[in-house]
Amino acid sequence: MSGYRCSSCGNEWTKEESVDYSYRRIKVLEATVGGYSSGDTKVTINFERNFAKWEHGVLNPMEIHYARFGASDMERIRNGLKSVNLLDWRRSYHDSIILDGTQWEIVIHKSGRNLYKSGSNMYPREWEAFCRLMKKITSREFG
């Protein structure tokens, strides 16, 4: 078997099993995008409580919507995050030439530690697919 071996327990995993395990460890995902004039849109996906929350506002959330999901829906959401390679994104995407525009941040709350991804006027290759996934989950615009 080619893959990864746990030094403490001796178990082995394939690369696919290791990737699946990493995505199953996500407890909460918080994704925020916005700019000075357009305000911020934030999507929170809680995998432990099976819901998503969409918020939009200029200074404070002015509009909030919730969606509840079953376990199979949450698994599809995890698979969607895998399909956009979220965990493989770099920590930072910043265009230092443009000072205004659109900023975004993603906080991935996992068992053990949180991961942070962010950008300013620069995005990972899968950004548009990620925005479509957020819209599909919340039935609201994101990005």
Side-chain angles (χ1 to χ4, degrees):
M1 171 191 271
S2 68
Y4 305 92
R5 178 181 294 279
C6 175
S7 60
S8 61
C9 67
N11 289 337
E12 286 191 31
W13 297 276
T14 65
K15 182 177 181 182
E16 183 66 26
E17 289 169 331
S18 179
V19 169
D20 286 344
Y21 176 75
S22 293
Y23 281 91
R24 281 194 310 273
R25 290 186 63 214
I26 297 173
K27 294 180 175 191
V28 176
L29 175 105
E30 296 174 305
T32 306
V33 64
Y36 179 74
S37 61
S38 63
D40 290 333
T41 300
K42 180 177 181 180
V43 171
T44 303
I45 302 169
N46 189 315
F47 289 94
E48 295 180 316
R49 296 201 171 121
N50 295 356
F51 78 86
K53 179 169 84 170
W54 178 93
E55 303 170 77
H56 179 76
V58 176
L59 294 175
N60 294 313
M62 300 165 102
E63 188 177 354
I64 300 174
H65 296 275
Y66 291 90
R68 293 235 168 253
F69 299 99
S72 62
D73 295 318
M74 296 308 285
E75 189 61 29
R76 280 193 284 280
I77 292 170
R78 282 185 199 281
N79 287 334
L81 296 175
K82 274 194 328 192
S83 74
V84 299
N85 298 309
L86 179 65
L87 294 179
D88 290 333
W89 291 5
R90 294 190 324 246
R91 180 173 166 81
S92 179
Y93 296 80
H94 290 275
D95 184 336
S96 59
I97 296 172
I98 303 173
L99 300 178
D100 201 2
T102 303
Q103 289 74 46
W104 60 272
E105 178 182 66
I106 297 173
V107 181
I108 303 163
H109 301 264
K110 293 178 67 172
S111 302
R113 68 182 176 121
N114 296 341
L115 302 175
Y116 299 89
K117 317 279 184 179
S118 66
S120 180
N121 303 305
M122 187 180 283
Y123 311 89
R125 187 180 74 242
E126 303 90 344
W127 178 255
E128 288 182 21
F130 177 79
C131 291
R132 285 190 303 272
L133 177 63
M134 294 299 102
K135 181 178 180 179
K136 184 177 179 181
I137 293 165
T138 63
S139 300
R140 301 282 188 277
E141 289 296 326
F142 182 86

